[in-house]
Amino acid sequence: MARPKLVLIWLKRDLRISDHPAFEAAIQTKLPVYAFYLFEPDLLIQPDVDLRHIRFIKESLLSMNHKLLPLRAVVHSHACNAIEFFQQINERYEIQNLFSHQETGNLESYKRDKQVSEFCKDHGIIWKEFKPSYIIRGLKSGRLGWKDKWKSWMQEACIEPNWNLAKERNLFITTPISINLNPEIKGILNKKFPFRLNQAHDFQIGGLEESENTIASFLGSRYKKYSGCISKPEESRTHCSRLSPYLAFGAISAKQVYQRTYSTRANLNYSGKKQVDRFLSRLAWRDHMIQKFESECRIEFENFNLAYDTVIHQRKENFIQAWQEGRTGYPLIDASMRCLLSTGYLNFRMRAMLVSFLTMILWQDWRWGVHFLARQFLDYEPGIHYFQFQMQASTVGNHQIRIYNPYKQILDNDPNCYFIKQWIPELRKTSIPDIQTWGIESPGLFSVKIDYPQPIVDFKTSYNHARDIMFTYQSSPEVQKNLNMIRKMHIVDRRKQSFR
């Protein structure tokens, strides 16, 4: 008996129903469509995955299906590795097409995609992958003209699925296809990710409605203090866009954000335009980082500049644990980490400071903290995460060596210690001057009265140690030789350009 024909839509980091060429391409085939998301055990057990990510994805899928219900469409969820899923579907259906968006993920997702590509070739399935943003796969010739091409791509029309056609023809299969699952897998997943969707939490909520509310409130008024608050750990929670998790999991596309922002910009005064222009530059910077990782994904595990391989670190578990728990004795470091653990969000300056502190002041290899922070960031985006981690660890060689002074950062970005006192209750009754100079005074001054540690290391001594070693490396012939190759591949046009 002939197998019925079927078109598949594989959702990954594109959890939305507008500006979605994969949905539109499937609909235009006018064949039965099965849309699905896979919770893949081989990926979920990786060290960069956390419960907060799974919750956000499930919230997003729930929101999508709420919107799709009146359109007679649905996205099905399966806990299954990709190859097993496609094998079982292929036994029962003649798969004509597989549509998805490209994913710049970790090594495991890359290996998974290679396996799926081979499977599709072996079974005559046409797999069409669409760009999620202006990221060029297989780029080997440098970045000349990249900014202009990025702007042109962002200005192209969004691709809207013809949901009326899908509804009229009942194209979407709304009953889930049964997939045989190894019972051990479900047990493993339930043990690692035990939660209920309606469980209260302090993280941003996934979904289309939340994504829309977030961009509407940002472009409505919150943008007005964007530049002035971007580095401040407390104020940034209100006046930064807060769109990063929705971009990371595709509840809204970069193109949609660009076009909404640019449309709003037309009606703003000079001051308002300056604010959103800075935001637009960050949007471009986001794709610029992802392109680096797409072109050189080895940096998930290796130093970007291989000359830094000879830097010697001694792993100190007590340092790493204190950093992870927010118990280093440096108030702003610890407040930032505790905030991140509880909410999944931290502004860029404080993220950079956490990495710099681990790698420079505690002198620990960046690889000993990179997956831990990946699990904490609700907006974890592999394409951004690994390069940024190394940039703050100064293992690229192309940037100023970054050793953030946590005392200066308090004065600059939390002078009243509001953020610190919010996240370190042990210090709520401590005076602002005492917090600002914590550990500079004689050791043990507050140890009897306050259950908060003295600094785990001496800042000045650690700073000088890291500075001397990293400056010596940065000027070395080996680093400079590798740096020339990095620049040829990754540096965009140096001429001044606007991203709007």
Side-chain angles (χ1 to χ4, degrees):
M1 181 182 295
R3 294 170 297 162
K5 293 182 179 180
L6 184 67
V7 170
L8 297 175
I9 302 175
W10 185 8
L11 279 295
K12 298 179 182 178
R13 288 179 174 262
D14 51 349
L15 305 181
R16 60 183 180 273
I17 64 174
S18 59
D19 189 28
H20 206 297
F23 270 124
E24 171 61 4
I27 291 170
Q28 291 305 323
T29 67
K30 301 180 179 62
L31 292 171
V33 176
Y34 193 78
F36 63 94
Y37 184 93
L38 296 179
F39 291 95
E40 303 167 72
D42 285 350
L43 297 186
L44 296 180
I45 62 174
Q46 295 306 309
D48 58 353
V49 180
D50 188 73
L51 167 64
R52 62 194 66 192
H53 304 138
I54 308 305
R55 180 195 292 116
F56 193 89
I57 291 168
K58 289 198 170 186
E59 290 168 345
S60 300
L61 291 169
L62 187 66
S63 170
M64 286 183 71
N65 283 332
H66 178 73
K67 294 287 187 181
L68 290 172
L69 182 62
L71 302 173
R72 299 176 188 169
V74 67
V75 175
H76 301 281
S77 298
H78 296 279
C80 185
N81 288 320
I83 287 297
E84 297 168 0
F85 175 84
F86 289 114
Q87 287 173 340
Q88 293 191 43
I89 295 292
N90 192 60
E91 290 172 357
R92 284 171 270 178
Y93 294 89
E94 184 182 338
I95 305 172
Q96 300 294 296
N97 301 90
L98 170 61
F99 296 110
S100 68
H101 278 93
Q102 292 176 357
E103 179 182 15
T104 303
N106 59 19
L107 177 61
E108 287 302 314
S109 69
Y110 171 71
K111 292 193 295 187
R112 180 270 324 269
D113 281 353
K114 288 185 67 176
Q115 291 176 334
V116 172
S117 178
E118 289 300 316
F119 180 86
C120 288
K121 290 177 184 177
D122 292 343
H123 294 85
I125 301 168
I126 301 172
W127 184 12
K128 172 65 176 176
E129 295 181 277
F130 297 93
K131 288 182 180 180
S133 192
Y134 189 70
I135 310 299
I136 304 171
R137 183 166 283 184
L139 179 65
K140 299 295 182 183
S141 58
R143 303 284 289 280
L144 184 63
W146 187 88
K147 288 183 180 180
D148 290 330
K149 293 173 184 176
W150 181 87
K151 286 195 294 183
S152 295
W153 194 88
M154 286 294 174
Q155 292 166 358
E156 293 177 3
C158 294
I159 298 178
E160 302 301 336
N162 189 340
W163 292 111
N164 288 333
L165 175 62
K167 182 178 179 179
E168 289 170 3
R169 300 204 175 194
N170 285 316
L171 294 180
F172 279 77
I173 296 175
T174 56
T175 302
I177 298 174
S178 176
I179 300 295
N180 295 324
L181 179 65
N182 184 336
E184 292 183 4
I185 291 179
K186 190 171 183 180
I188 292 172
L189 297 182
N190 288 338
K191 184 176 181 180
K192 185 172 182 180
F193 303 110
F195 71 94
R196 301 185 306 273
L197 271 179
N198 60 354
Q199 216 168 3
H201 59 80
D202 294 323
F203 301 91
Q204 286 178 267
I205 299 172
L208 304 178
E209 298 88 349
E210 295 295 333
S211 174
E212 171 58 31
N213 291 341
T214 302
I215 190 171
S217 65
F218 177 65
L219 295 178
S221 62
R222 291 191 294 112
Y223 75 90
K224 294 177 182 178
K225 296 183 179 180
Y226 179 77
S227 295
C229 297
I230 194 171
S231 296
K232 301 183 183 303
E234 181 58 32
E235 291 88 336
S236 63
R237 301 182 70 82
T238 297
H239 297 290
C240 282
S241 77
R242 304 302 303 275
L243 286 168
S244 55
Y246 303 106
L247 284 165
F249 291 99
I252 191 169
S253 71
K255 184 182 289 186
Q256 287 175 310
V257 173
Y258 177 93
Q259 294 185 8
R260 286 277 295 272
T261 305
Y262 196 75
S263 176
T264 298
R265 184 186 185 279
N267 299 315
L268 301 180
N269 58 23
Y270 176 77
S271 176
K273 284 182 170 65
K274 286 185 66 176
Q275 299 293 329
V276 298
D277 284 350
R278 187 168 185 188
F279 170 69
L280 287 171
S281 71
R282 289 275 171 156
L283 193 64
W285 169 89
R286 175 181 182 272
D287 282 354
H288 172 55
M289 296 295 109
I290 296 174
Q291 182 64 68
K292 287 176 183 285
F293 188 69
E294 176 65 38
S295 300
E296 204 148 6
C297 58
R298 66 176 180 81
I299 64 172
E300 181 180 353
F301 306 104
E302 300 177 0
N303 284 318
F304 202 119
N305 190 317
L306 294 174
Y308 287 99
D309 286 353
T310 57
V311 177
I312 299 174
H313 298 90
Q314 181 181 355
R315 186 179 178 104
K316 296 185 178 181
E317 295 296 343
N318 60 321
F319 283 10
I320 296 172
Q321 183 177 355
W323 176 75
Q324 291 178 346
E325 295 176 354
R327 296 283 297 175
T328 67
Y330 285 87
L332 191 56
I333 297 291
D334 295 339
S336 296
M337 184 62 83
R338 295 183 193 188
C339 173
L340 178 61
L341 294 174
S342 295
T343 71
Y345 175 80
L346 196 63
N347 66 317
F348 177 77
R349 175 61 62 88
M350 298 301 108
R351 296 184 190 208
M353 183 184 67
L354 285 180
V355 177
S356 170
F357 188 84
L358 173 71
T359 58
M360 297 296 173
I361 304 306
L362 299 183
W363 199 244
Q364 299 297 288
D365 192 293
W366 62 268
R367 283 161 283 216
W368 301 338
V370 70
H371 288 138
F372 176 80
L373 282 191
R375 294 195 298 274
Q376 309 317 313
F377 294 145
L378 180 62
D379 56 10
Y380 166 59
E381 177 79 66
I384 298 173
H385 185 70
Y386 294 100
F387 178 78
Q388 268 302 316
F389 216 98
Q390 292 210 45
M391 190 166 79
Q392 305 308 326
S394 297
T395 55
V396 180
N398 189 48
H399 308 89
Q400 177 183 353
I401 293 174
R402 289 165 163 79
I403 310 179
Y404 290 87
N405 185 330
Y407 295 112
K408 182 178 184 298
Q409 291 302 315
I410 294 177
L411 298 177
D412 290 348
N413 296 309
D414 192 29
N416 295 320
C417 298
Y418 178 82
F419 179 77
I420 290 173
K421 291 189 175 188
Q422 180 181 2
W423 292 104
I424 306 182
E426 307 97 298
L427 296 179
R428 284 178 185 167
K429 294 183 179 180
T430 305
S431 70
I432 291 174
D434 284 343
I435 293 176
Q436 292 174 339
T437 58
W438 186 268
I440 297 177
E441 304 294 337
S442 58
L445 181 63
F446 306 104
S447 59
V448 175
K449 297 181 179 180
I450 300 175
D451 182 26
Y452 182 70
Q454 289 295 309
I456 193 169
V457 294
D458 177 73
F459 177 77
K460 186 175 181 180
T461 302
S462 299
Y463 174 90
N464 290 336
H465 171 264
R467 180 198 60 190
D468 293 346
I469 292 176
M470 297 309 288
F471 270 104
T472 299
Y473 264 86
Q474 190 175 49
S475 59
S476 70
E478 294 81 8
V479 167
Q480 292 301 312
K481 179 182 177 181
N482 288 337
L483 184 56
N484 288 332
M485 293 186 288
I486 291 171
R487 284 170 174 162
K488 288 179 182 178
M489 182 65 198
H490 297 285
I491 301 299
V492 298
D493 310 21
R494 291 187 177 277
R495 55 198 172 95
K496 186 177 181 180
Q497 290 182 321
S498 169
F499 282 109
R500 57 180 173 79

